[in-house]
PDB file of all heavy atoms in Angstrom:
ATOM      1  N   TYR X 258     130.533  78.905 159.121  1.00 96.00           N
ATOM      2  CA  TYR X 258     129.940  77.744 159.789  1.00 96.00           C
ATOM      3  C   TYR X 258     128.675  77.407 159.021  1.00 96.00           C
ATOM      4  O   TYR X 258     127.896  78.297 158.653  1.00 96.00           O
ATOM      5  CB  TYR X 258     129.602  78.046 161.245  1.00 96.00           C
ATOM      6  CG  TYR X 258     128.671  77.034 161.863  1.00 96.00           C
ATOM      7  CD1 TYR X 258     129.079  75.709 162.036  1.00 96.00           C
ATOM      8  CD2 TYR X 258     127.375  77.381 162.241  1.00 96.00           C
ATOM      9  CE1 TYR X 258     128.215  74.762 162.585  1.00 96.00           C
ATOM     10  CE2 TYR X 258     126.515  76.446 162.792  1.00 96.00           C
ATOM     11  CZ  TYR X 258     126.930  75.143 162.961  1.00 96.00           C
ATOM     12  OH  TYR X 258     126.079  74.197 163.493  1.00 96.00           O
ATOM     13  N   SER X 259     128.466  76.119 158.758  1.00 95.00           N
ATOM     14  CA  SER X 259     127.286  75.699 158.005  1.00 95.00           C
ATOM     15  C   SER X 259     126.648  74.511 158.686  1.00 95.00           C
ATOM     16  O   SER X 259     127.308  73.489 158.904  1.00 95.00           O
ATOM     17  CB  SER X 259     127.669  75.346 156.559  1.00 95.00           C
ATOM     18  OG  SER X 259     126.519  75.093 155.779  1.00 95.00           O
ATOM     19  N   TYR X 260     125.381  74.653 159.043  1.00 92.00           N
ATOM     20  CA  TYR X 260     124.651  73.551 159.683  1.00 92.00           C
ATOM     21  C   TYR X 260     123.833  72.764 158.665  1.00 92.00           C
ATOM     22  O   TYR X 260     123.871  71.539 158.627  1.00 92.00           O
ATOM     23  CB  TYR X 260     123.743  74.104 160.778  1.00 92.00           C
ATOM     24  CG  TYR X 260     122.931  73.045 161.494  1.00 92.00           C
ATOM     25  CD1 TYR X 260     123.550  71.980 162.147  1.00 92.00           C
ATOM     26  CD2 TYR X 260     121.533  73.120 161.517  1.00 92.00           C
ATOM     27  CE1 TYR X 260     122.806  71.006 162.805  1.00 92.00           C
ATOM     28  CE2 TYR X 260     120.786  72.156 162.169  1.00 92.00           C
ATOM     29  CZ  TYR X 260     121.417  71.100 162.811  1.00 92.00           C
ATOM     30  OH  TYR X 260     120.675  70.132 163.459  1.00 92.00           O
ATOM     31  N   THR X 261     123.120  73.480 157.809  1.00 92.00           N
ATOM     32  CA  THR X 261     122.268  72.809 156.823  1.00 92.00           C
ATOM     33  C   THR X 261     122.937  72.653 155.466  1.00 92.00           C
ATOM     34  O   THR X 261     122.417  71.952 154.608  1.00 92.00           O
ATOM     35  CB  THR X 261     120.957  73.608 156.629  1.00 92.00           C
ATOM     36  OG1 THR X 261     121.279  74.886 156.070  1.00 92.00           O
ATOM     37  CG2 THR X 261     120.227  73.786 157.961  1.00 92.00           C
ATOM     38  N   GLY X 262     124.058  73.316 155.261  1.00 94.00           N
ATOM     39  CA  GLY X 262     124.745  73.271 153.972  1.00 94.00           C
ATOM     40  C   GLY X 262     124.556  74.525 153.147  1.00 94.00           C
ATOM     41  O   GLY X 262     125.271  74.726 152.150  1.00 94.00           O
ATOM     42  N   ASN X 263     123.630  75.407 153.540  1.00 96.00           N
ATOM     43  CA  ASN X 263     123.394  76.624 152.763  1.00 96.00           C
ATOM     44  C   ASN X 263     124.612  77.548 152.776  1.00 96.00           C
ATOM     45  O   ASN X 263     124.982  78.126 151.745  1.00 96.00           O
ATOM     46  CB  ASN X 263     122.171  77.368 153.313  1.00 96.00           C
ATOM     47  CG  ASN X 263     120.865  76.678 152.956  1.00 96.00           C
ATOM     48  OD1 ASN X 263     120.778  75.994 151.938  1.00 96.00           O
ATOM     49  ND2 ASN X 263     119.850  76.847 153.781  1.00 96.00           N
ATOM     50  N   CYS X 264     125.240  77.699 153.935  1.00 96.00           N
ATOM     51  CA  CYS X 264     126.413  78.574 154.011  1.00 96.00           C
ATOM     52  C   CYS X 264     127.585  77.985 153.233  1.00 96.00           C
ATOM     53  O   CYS X 264     128.392  78.726 152.664  1.00 96.00           O
ATOM     54  CB  CYS X 264     126.803  78.811 155.471  1.00 96.00           C
ATOM     55  SG  CYS X 264     125.704  79.969 156.327  1.00 96.00           S
ATOM     56  N   ARG X 265     127.668  76.665 153.195  1.00 96.00           N
ATOM     57  CA  ARG X 265     128.740  76.036 152.412  1.00 96.00           C
ATOM     58  C   ARG X 265     128.559  76.352 150.926  1.00 96.00           C
ATOM     59  O   ARG X 265     129.545  76.597 150.211  1.00 96.00           O
ATOM     60  CB  ARG X 265     128.744  74.528 152.653  1.00 96.00           C
ATOM     61  CG  ARG X 265     129.920  73.810 151.980  1.00 96.00           C
ATOM     62  CD  ARG X 265     130.002  72.357 152.389  1.00 96.00           C
ATOM     63  NE  ARG X 265     130.400  72.231 153.793  1.00 96.00           N
ATOM     64  CZ  ARG X 265     129.576  71.865 154.782  1.00 96.00           C
ATOM     65  NH1 ARG X 265     128.307  71.583 154.509  1.00 96.00           N
ATOM     66  NH2 ARG X 265     130.020  71.781 156.011  1.00 96.00           N
ATOM     67  N   GLU X 266     127.324  76.358 150.438  1.00 96.00           N
ATOM     68  CA  GLU X 266     127.067  76.713 149.045  1.00 96.00           C
ATOM     69  C   GLU X 266     127.443  78.171 148.769  1.00 96.00           C
ATOM     70  O   GLU X 266     127.981  78.489 147.702  1.00 96.00           O
ATOM     71  CB  GLU X 266     125.593  76.473 148.712  1.00 96.00           C
ATOM     72  CG  GLU X 266     125.201  75.003 148.688  1.00 96.00           C
ATOM     73  CD  GLU X 266     123.736  74.809 148.345  1.00 96.00           C
ATOM     74  OE1 GLU X 266     123.066  75.827 148.048  1.00 96.00           O
ATOM     75  OE2 GLU X 266     123.264  73.654 148.370  1.00 96.00           O
ATOM     76  N   ILE X 267     127.177  79.042 149.736  1.00 97.00           N
ATOM     77  CA  ILE X 267     127.557  80.446 149.591  1.00 97.00           C
ATOM     78  C   ILE X 267     129.075  80.571 149.471  1.00 97.00           C
ATOM     79  O   ILE X 267     129.595  81.299 148.630  1.00 97.00           O
ATOM     80  CB  ILE X 267     127.027  81.271 150.781  1.00 97.00           C
ATOM     81  CG1 ILE X 267     125.499  81.360 150.729  1.00 97.00           C
ATOM     82  CG2 ILE X 267     127.650  82.669 150.797  1.00 97.00           C
ATOM     83  CD1 ILE X 267     124.866  81.955 151.975  1.00 97.00           C
ATOM     84  N   VAL X 268     129.789  79.834 150.304  1.00 96.00           N
ATOM     85  CA  VAL X 268     131.252  79.875 150.287  1.00 96.00           C
ATOM     86  C   VAL X 268     131.786  79.334 148.967  1.00 96.00           C
ATOM     87  O   VAL X 268     132.735  79.870 148.399  1.00 96.00           O
ATOM     88  CB  VAL X 268     131.829  79.100 151.484  1.00 96.00           C
ATOM     89  CG1 VAL X 268     133.344  78.957 151.366  1.00 96.00           C
ATOM     90  CG2 VAL X 268     131.466  79.806 152.777  1.00 96.00           C
ATOM     91  N   ASN X 269     131.176  78.284 148.460  1.00 95.00           N
ATOM     92  CA  ASN X 269     131.608  77.739 147.168  1.00 95.00           C
ATOM     93  C   ASN X 269     131.439  78.777 146.056  1.00 95.00           C
ATOM     94  O   ASN X 269     132.286  78.893 145.160  1.00 95.00           O
ATOM     95  CB  ASN X 269     130.816  76.475 146.844  1.00 95.00           C
ATOM     96  CG  ASN X 269     131.230  75.295 147.709  1.00 95.00           C
ATOM     97  OD1 ASN X 269     132.335  75.272 148.251  1.00 95.00           O
ATOM     98  ND2 ASN X 269     130.346  74.322 147.845  1.00 95.00           N
ATOM     99  N   SER X 270     130.351  79.533 146.124  1.00 93.00           N
ATOM    100  CA  SER X 270     130.144  80.586 145.137  1.00 93.00           C
ATOM    101  C   SER X 270     131.173  81.694 145.299  1.00 93.00           C
ATOM    102  O   SER X 270     131.715  82.213 144.311  1.00 93.00           O
ATOM    103  CB  SER X 270     128.734  81.161 145.273  1.00 93.00           C
ATOM    104  OG  SER X 270     128.491  82.150 144.294  1.00 93.00           O
ATOM    105  N   LEU X 271     131.495  82.051 146.549  1.00 93.00           N
ATOM    106  CA  LEU X 271     132.526  83.047 146.806  1.00 93.00           C
ATOM    107  C   LEU X 271     133.860  82.610 146.207  1.00 93.00           C
ATOM    108  O   LEU X 271     134.557  83.397 145.559  1.00 93.00           O
ATOM    109  CB  LEU X 271     132.688  83.250 148.307  1.00 93.00           C
ATOM    110  CG  LEU X 271     131.868  84.341 148.992  1.00 93.00           C
ATOM    111  CD1 LEU X 271     132.014  84.232 150.506  1.00 93.00           C
ATOM    112  CD2 LEU X 271     132.295  85.722 148.512  1.00 93.00           C
ATOM    113  N   ARG X 272     134.219  81.361 146.427  1.00 90.00           N
ATOM    114  CA  ARG X 272     135.513  80.854 145.965  1.00 90.00           C
ATOM    115  C   ARG X 272     135.606  80.836 144.450  1.00 90.00           C
ATOM    116  O   ARG X 272     136.711  80.876 143.891  1.00 90.00           O
ATOM    117  CB  ARG X 272     135.755  79.448 146.518  1.00 90.00           C
ATOM    118  CG  ARG X 272     135.916  79.399 148.022  1.00 90.00           C
ATOM    119  CD  ARG X 272     136.266  78.032 148.505  1.00 90.00           C
ATOM    120  NE  ARG X 272     137.640  77.673 148.179  1.00 90.00           N
ATOM    121  CZ  ARG X 272     138.208  76.517 148.513  1.00 90.00           C
ATOM    122  NH1 ARG X 272     137.495  75.599 149.181  1.00 90.00           N
ATOM    123  NH2 ARG X 272     139.454  76.256 148.195  1.00 90.00           N
ATOM    124  N   SER X 273     134.470  80.749 143.775  1.00 89.00           N
ATOM    125  CA  SER X 273     134.497  80.778 142.314  1.00 89.00           C
ATOM    126  C   SER X 273     134.671  82.189 141.776  1.00 89.00           C
ATOM    127  O   SER X 273     134.955  82.375 140.592  1.00 89.00           O
ATOM    128  CB  SER X 273     133.200  80.169 141.754  1.00 89.00           C
ATOM    129  OG  SER X 273     132.099  81.035 141.969  1.00 89.00           O
ATOM    130  N   GLN X 274     134.513  83.182 142.661  1.00 91.00           N
ATOM    131  CA  GLN X 274     134.563  84.565 142.199  1.00 91.00           C
ATOM    132  C   GLN X 274     135.780  85.340 142.690  1.00 91.00           C
ATOM    133  O   GLN X 274     136.176  86.331 142.074  1.00 91.00           O
ATOM    134  CB  GLN X 274     133.289  85.296 142.648  1.00 91.00           C
ATOM    135  CG  GLN X 274     132.015  84.668 142.103  1.00 91.00           C
ATOM    136  CD  GLN X 274     130.785  85.486 142.441  1.00 91.00           C
ATOM    137  OE1 GLN X 274     130.793  86.700 142.324  1.00 91.00           O
ATOM    138  NE2 GLN X 274     129.720  84.823 142.857  1.00 91.00           N
ATOM    139  N   ILE X 275     136.360  84.940 143.806  1.00 89.00           N
ATOM    140  CA  ILE X 275     137.532  85.640 144.337  1.00 89.00           C
ATOM    141  C   ILE X 275     138.580  84.619 144.778  1.00 89.00           C
ATOM    142  O   ILE X 275     138.278  83.438 144.975  1.00 89.00           O
ATOM    143  CB  ILE X 275     137.171  86.543 145.541  1.00 89.00           C
ATOM    144  CG1 ILE X 275     136.610  85.704 146.708  1.00 89.00           C
ATOM    145  CG2 ILE X 275     136.221  87.639 145.136  1.00 89.00           C
ATOM    146  CD1 ILE X 275     136.404  86.499 147.980  1.00 89.00           C
ATOM    147  N   THR X 276     139.795  85.087 144.948  1.00 87.00           N
ATOM    148  CA  THR X 276     140.857  84.258 145.493  1.00 87.00           C
ATOM    149  C   THR X 276     140.870  84.428 147.004  1.00 87.00           C
ATOM    150  O   THR X 276     141.059  85.550 147.503  1.00 87.00           O
ATOM    151  CB  THR X 276     142.222  84.667 144.914  1.00 87.00           C
ATOM    152  OG1 THR X 276     142.188  84.495 143.489  1.00 87.00           O
ATOM    153  CG2 THR X 276     143.338  83.816 145.502  1.00 87.00           C
ATOM    154  N   ALA X 277     140.648  83.357 147.731  1.00 90.00           N
ATOM    155  CA  ALA X 277     140.569  83.437 149.186  1.00 90.00           C
ATOM    156  C   ALA X 277     140.874  82.090 149.809  1.00 90.00           C
ATOM    157  O   ALA X 277     140.593  81.040 149.222  1.00 90.00           O
ATOM    158  CB  ALA X 277     139.180  83.911 149.623  1.00 90.00           C
ATOM    159  N   ASP X 278     141.451  82.120 150.990  1.00 92.00           N
ATOM    160  CA  ASP X 278     141.559  80.923 151.804  1.00 92.00           C
ATOM    161  C   ASP X 278     140.257  80.747 152.568  1.00 92.00           C
ATOM    162  O   ASP X 278     139.513  81.715 152.792  1.00 92.00           O
ATOM    163  CB  ASP X 278     142.729  81.034 152.794  1.00 92.00           C
ATOM    164  CG  ASP X 278     144.073  81.071 152.082  1.00 92.00           C
ATOM    165  OD1 ASP X 278     144.145  80.566 150.951  1.00 92.00           O
ATOM    166  OD2 ASP X 278     145.037  81.594 152.664  1.00 92.00           O
ATOM    167  N   VAL X 279     139.976  79.514 152.988  1.00 95.00           N
ATOM    168  CA  VAL X 279     138.700  79.215 153.642  1.00 95.00           C
ATOM    169  C   VAL X 279     138.950  78.487 154.953  1.00 95.00           C
ATOM    170  O   VAL X 279     139.754  77.561 155.025  1.00 95.00           O
ATOM    171  CB  VAL X 279     137.788  78.366 152.727  1.00 95.00           C
ATOM    172  CG1 VAL X 279     136.526  77.936 153.474  1.00 95.00           C
ATOM    173  CG2 VAL X 279     137.410  79.151 151.482  1.00 95.00           C
ATOM    174  N   LEU X 280     138.235  78.905 155.984  1.00 96.00           N
ATOM    175  CA  LEU X 280     138.286  78.268 157.298  1.00 96.00           C
ATOM    176  C   LEU X 280     136.867  77.890 157.701  1.00 96.00           C
ATOM    177  O   LEU X 280     135.994  78.758 157.816  1.00 96.00           O
ATOM    178  CB  LEU X 280     138.887  79.225 158.340  1.00 96.00           C
ATOM    179  CG  LEU X 280     138.777  78.800 159.810  1.00 96.00           C
ATOM    180  CD1 LEU X 280     139.519  77.497 160.064  1.00 96.00           C
ATOM    181  CD2 LEU X 280     139.277  79.912 160.730  1.00 96.00           C
ATOM    182  N   GLU X 281     136.624  76.593 157.903  1.00 96.00           N
ATOM    183  CA  GLU X 281     135.315  76.133 158.363  1.00 96.00           C
ATOM    184  C   GLU X 281     135.345  75.917 159.863  1.00 96.00           C
ATOM    185  O   GLU X 281     136.228  75.238 160.393  1.00 96.00           O
ATOM    186  CB  GLU X 281     134.900  74.832 157.662  1.00 96.00           C
ATOM    187  CG  GLU X 281     133.525  74.353 158.122  1.00 96.00           C
ATOM    188  CD  GLU X 281     133.046  73.098 157.401  1.00 96.00           C
ATOM    189  OE1 GLU X 281     133.873  72.494 156.671  1.00 96.00           O
ATOM    190  OE2 GLU X 281     131.871  72.721 157.573  1.00 96.00           O
ATOM    191  N   ILE X 282     134.375  76.473 160.565  1.00 96.00           N
ATOM    192  CA  ILE X 282     134.250  76.317 162.013  1.00 96.00           C
ATOM    193  C   ILE X 282     133.347  75.125 162.297  1.00 96.00           C
ATOM    194  O   ILE X 282     132.260  75.011 161.732  1.00 96.00           O
ATOM    195  CB  ILE X 282     133.672  77.588 162.656  1.00 96.00           C
ATOM    196  CG1 ILE X 282     134.486  78.814 162.240  1.00 96.00           C
ATOM    197  CG2 ILE X 282     133.631  77.457 164.173  1.00 96.00           C
ATOM    198  CD1 ILE X 282     135.960  78.717 162.548  1.00 96.00           C
ATOM    199  N   GLN X 283     133.803  74.251 163.192  1.00 95.00           N
ATOM    200  CA  GLN X 283     133.052  73.047 163.515  1.00 95.00           C
ATOM    201  C   GLN X 283     132.796  72.974 165.018  1.00 95.00           C
ATOM    202  O   GLN X 283     133.684  73.290 165.821  1.00 95.00           O
ATOM    203  CB  GLN X 283     133.847  71.792 163.106  1.00 95.00           C
ATOM    204  CG  GLN X 283     134.023  71.625 161.618  1.00 95.00           C
ATOM    205  CD  GLN X 283     132.828  70.940 160.977  1.00 95.00           C
ATOM    206  OE1 GLN X 283     131.805  70.733 161.609  1.00 95.00           O
ATOM    207  NE2 GLN X 283     132.970  70.573 159.717  1.00 95.00           N
ATOM    208  N   PRO X 284     131.585  72.564 165.443  1.00 93.00           N
ATOM    209  CA  PRO X 284     131.331  72.398 166.881  1.00 93.00           C
ATOM    210  C   PRO X 284     132.120  71.216 167.427  1.00 93.00           C
ATOM    211  O   PRO X 284     132.371  70.240 166.715  1.00 93.00           O
ATOM    212  CB  PRO X 284     129.823  72.143 166.940  1.00 93.00           C
ATOM    213  CG  PRO X 284     129.490  71.548 165.601  1.00 93.00           C
ATOM    214  CD  PRO X 284     130.420  72.214 164.622  1.00 93.00           C
ATOM    215  N   ALA X 285     132.504  71.291 168.683  1.00 93.00           N
ATOM    216  CA  ALA X 285     133.235  70.181 169.306  1.00 93.00           C
ATOM    217  C   ALA X 285     132.334  68.960 169.447  1.00 93.00           C
ATOM    218  O   ALA X 285     132.785  67.823 169.292  1.00 93.00           O
ATOM    219  CB  ALA X 285     133.783  70.607 170.662  1.00 93.00           C
ATOM    220  N   GLU X 286     131.065  69.189 169.747  1.00 91.00           N
ATOM    221  CA  GLU X 286     130.098  68.085 169.867  1.00 91.00           C
ATOM    222  C   GLU X 286     129.456  67.865 168.500  1.00 91.00           C
ATOM    223  O   GLU X 286     128.706  68.707 168.013  1.00 91.00           O
ATOM    224  CB  GLU X 286     129.019  68.412 170.903  1.00 91.00           C
ATOM    225  CG  GLU X 286     129.406  68.088 172.324  1.00 91.00           C
ATOM    226  CD  GLU X 286     128.199  68.114 173.242  1.00 91.00           C
ATOM    227  OE1 GLU X 286     127.538  67.066 173.398  1.00 91.00           O
ATOM    228  OE2 GLU X 286     127.927  69.182 173.804  1.00 91.00           O
ATOM    229  N   LYS X 287     129.751  66.729 167.918  1.00 90.00           N
ATOM    230  CA  LYS X 287     129.224  66.422 166.594  1.00 90.00           C
ATOM    231  C   LYS X 287     127.842  65.771 166.700  1.00 90.00           C
ATOM    232  O   LYS X 287     127.489  65.146 167.703  1.00 90.00           O
ATOM    233  CB  LYS X 287     130.185  65.488 165.856  1.00 90.00           C
ATOM    234  CG  LYS X 287     131.620  66.027 165.754  1.00 90.00           C
ATOM    235  CD  LYS X 287     131.679  67.328 164.964  1.00 90.00           C
ATOM    236  CE  LYS X 287     133.123  67.736 164.659  1.00 90.00           C
ATOM    237  NZ  LYS X 287     133.863  68.148 165.852  1.00 90.00           N
TER     238      LYS X 287
END
């Protein structure tokens, strides 16, 4: 889950280093 975008950058770095599927969690209230 990423609110400010920092966690999304971490995930992008992870994906460049390992093979993995990705699931993003989103709040129901946008």
Side-chain angles (χ1 to χ4, degrees):
Y258 165 65
S259 187
Y260 179 58
T261 64
N263 286 332
C264 285
R265 186 172 291 107
E266 291 180 4
I267 291 170
V268 172
N269 288 338
S270 182
L271 268 171
R272 294 185 73 179
S273 72
Q274 300 186 44
I275 62 173
T276 299
D278 294 336
V279 174
L280 169 62
E281 181 177 10
I282 307 304
Q283 293 275 9
E286 275 194 89
K287 305 298 190 291

